[in-house]
Amino acid sequence: MSDESTESRDVTEADGDGDVSSAEHEAHLERSRKVWNRWSDWYAMSERDFEPIREDAIDHLDLRPGDRVLDVGCGPGVNFEPIRRAIGKDGRLVAVDYSPAMVAKARERIDRYGWKNVEVHRVDATTVAFDDWFDAAVATLSMSVMPDVRRAVENVHRLLVPGGSFVVFDLGAVPAGPARVANPFLRWFLRWYANWNPDGDVDESLRAVFDECEVVETYAAGIGYTVRCRKALGSDGGVDAGIDAGSTARDDH
């Protein structure tokens, strides 16, 4: 796919059901662009720290050779190598990010290793549309910074084949226990550091949209967590035109 195969949908004004307005959406995207452009040169400092957690998240996708995978909020491409190991040369990895600097670094990584089956698009993950669909999707440390978390989850769900998996590793406030006293500082830090969306509940959005969701890992008193979701086999296909569920649905492993 080329950049011409993507398109952005208009974001409508708030309708009273909790949707963010177009102005809020664009303002959040602009803050994210600035924040992640700023951190793009320093991302490698945390890449190794989170590497075991990210790889565990990717393992929960149960990828197979030939699978088509969507990497949501790919940053500089830290997930590319383990995904490629799983899907092989016949698989396809499509990644999206909104930061121009992060996209440039992800493309540099692709060029450096000569990966022919990996591509990156600079787009808004809440609205991007593809003419293709995906067997699996992953988002590591990205869903909680989306301008509209629920809409981003709905979009990923739409892009998956029936039976497709979506695994999310992310950070949030302490969910329970005495450590919750640190939550005001934690929320402030995440918003300052990553443009974290305080109004978006990733786990709640995932459970509202996907038919099956399970927290499979937690870290640091629940600040970090990995959720595995699965699109029902009877769901509509992954693209607007629809997919023949009988020919594209994934079997259980």
Side-chain angles (χ1 to χ4, degrees), residues 84-107:
R84 284 194 76 261
R85 285 200 303 267
I87 64 176
K89 61 182 178 62
D90 295 324
R92 190 174 197 177
L93 172 57
V94 178
V96 298
D97 201 282
Y98 195 74
S99 161
M102 287 292 193
V103 168
K105 290 186 178 299
R107 287 173 174 164

Side-chain angles (χ1 to χ4, degrees), residues 7-11 25 124-129 151-152 155 158:
E7 63 182 47
S8 294
R9 298 189 181 87
D10 293 334
V11 180
H25 190 102
D124 176 2
T126 64
T127 58
V128 63
R151 186 168 298 192
N155 204 33
R158 185 187 63 81

Side-chain angles (χ1 to χ4, degrees), residues 133 157-162 231 234-245 248:
W133 54 91
H157 183 272
R158 185 187 63 81
L159 292 167
L160 288 172
V161 300
K231 185 172 179 175
S235 299
D236 290 337
V239 292
D240 290 336
I243 300 172
D244 178 0
T248 61

Side-chain angles (χ1 to χ4, degrees), residues 174-225:
V174 180
R180 293 180 67 186
V181 68
N183 279 345
F185 170 77
L186 183 60
R187 290 189 180 98
W188 171 85
F189 174 78
L190 289 173
R191 183 162 172 77
W192 170 79
Y193 180 84
N195 197 32
W196 186 69
N197 184 349
D199 299 321
D201 188 319
V202 175
D203 185 52
E204 182 180 90
S205 295
L206 289 168
R207 293 179 186 279
V209 173
F210 277 84
D211 306 278
E212 302 173 23
C213 276
E214 176 188 10
V215 176
V216 292
E217 305 284 354
T218 59
Y219 311 93
I223 293 173
Y225 57 90

Side-chain angles (χ1 to χ4, degrees), residues 34-242:
K34 291 179 179 179
V35 166
W36 290 108
N37 279 350
R38 180 180 72 212
W39 288 118
S40 63
D41 288 334
W42 305 98
Y43 198 89
M45 295 175 63
S46 64
E47 182 173 343
R48 290 185 179 178
D49 294 338
F50 286 112
E51 184 174 4
I53 299 175
R54 290 187 294 98
E55 294 202 0
D56 282 346
I58 292 167
D59 286 343
H60 282 297
L61 287 172
D62 294 326
L63 295 174
R64 301 178 293 192
D67 275 351
R68 300 152 297 183
V69 182
L70 177 65
D71 188 351
V72 184
C74 67
V78 294
N79 294 328
F80 292 176
E81 187 169 359
I83 291 174
R84 284 194 76 261
R85 285 200 303 267
I87 64 176
K89 61 182 178 62
D90 295 324
R92 190 174 197 177
L93 172 57
V94 178
V96 298
D97 201 282
Y98 195 74
S99 161
M102 287 292 193
V103 168
K105 290 186 178 299
R107 287 173 174 164
E108 288 172 5
R109 189 181 298 241
I110 292 170
D111 292 341
R112 182 164 67 249
Y113 292 102
W115 293 330
K116 302 300 183 183
N117 59 340
V118 185
E119 58 191 78
V120 183
H121 303 275
R122 183 190 172 242
V123 289
D124 176 2
T126 64
T127 58
V128 63
F130 287 102
D131 295 330
D132 203 352
W133 54 91
F134 301 92
D135 300 296
V138 65
T140 58
L141 301 175
S142 62
M143 293 304 292
S144 63
V145 304
M146 296 290 169
D148 188 331
V149 175
R150 174 65 177 267
R151 186 168 298 192
V153 172
E154 291 173 343
N155 204 33
V156 172
H157 183 272
R158 185 187 63 81
L159 292 167
L160 288 172
V161 300
S165 296
F166 183 30
V167 172
V168 174
F169 162 58
D170 222 311
L171 305 176
V174 180
R180 293 180 67 186
V181 68
N183 279 345
F185 170 77
L186 183 60
R187 290 189 180 98
W188 171 85
F189 174 78
L190 289 173
R191 183 162 172 77
W192 170 79
Y193 180 84
N195 197 32
W196 186 69
N197 184 349
D199 299 321
D201 188 319
V202 175
D203 185 52
E204 182 180 90
S205 295
L206 289 168
R207 293 179 186 279
V209 173
F210 277 84
D211 306 278
E212 302 173 23
C213 276
E214 176 188 10
V215 176
V216 292
E217 305 284 354
T218 59
Y219 311 93
I223 293 173
Y225 57 90
T226 298
V227 184
R228 179 178 57 204
C229 300
R230 188 168 184 260
K231 185 172 179 175
L233 288 172
S235 299
D236 290 337
V239 292
D240 290 336

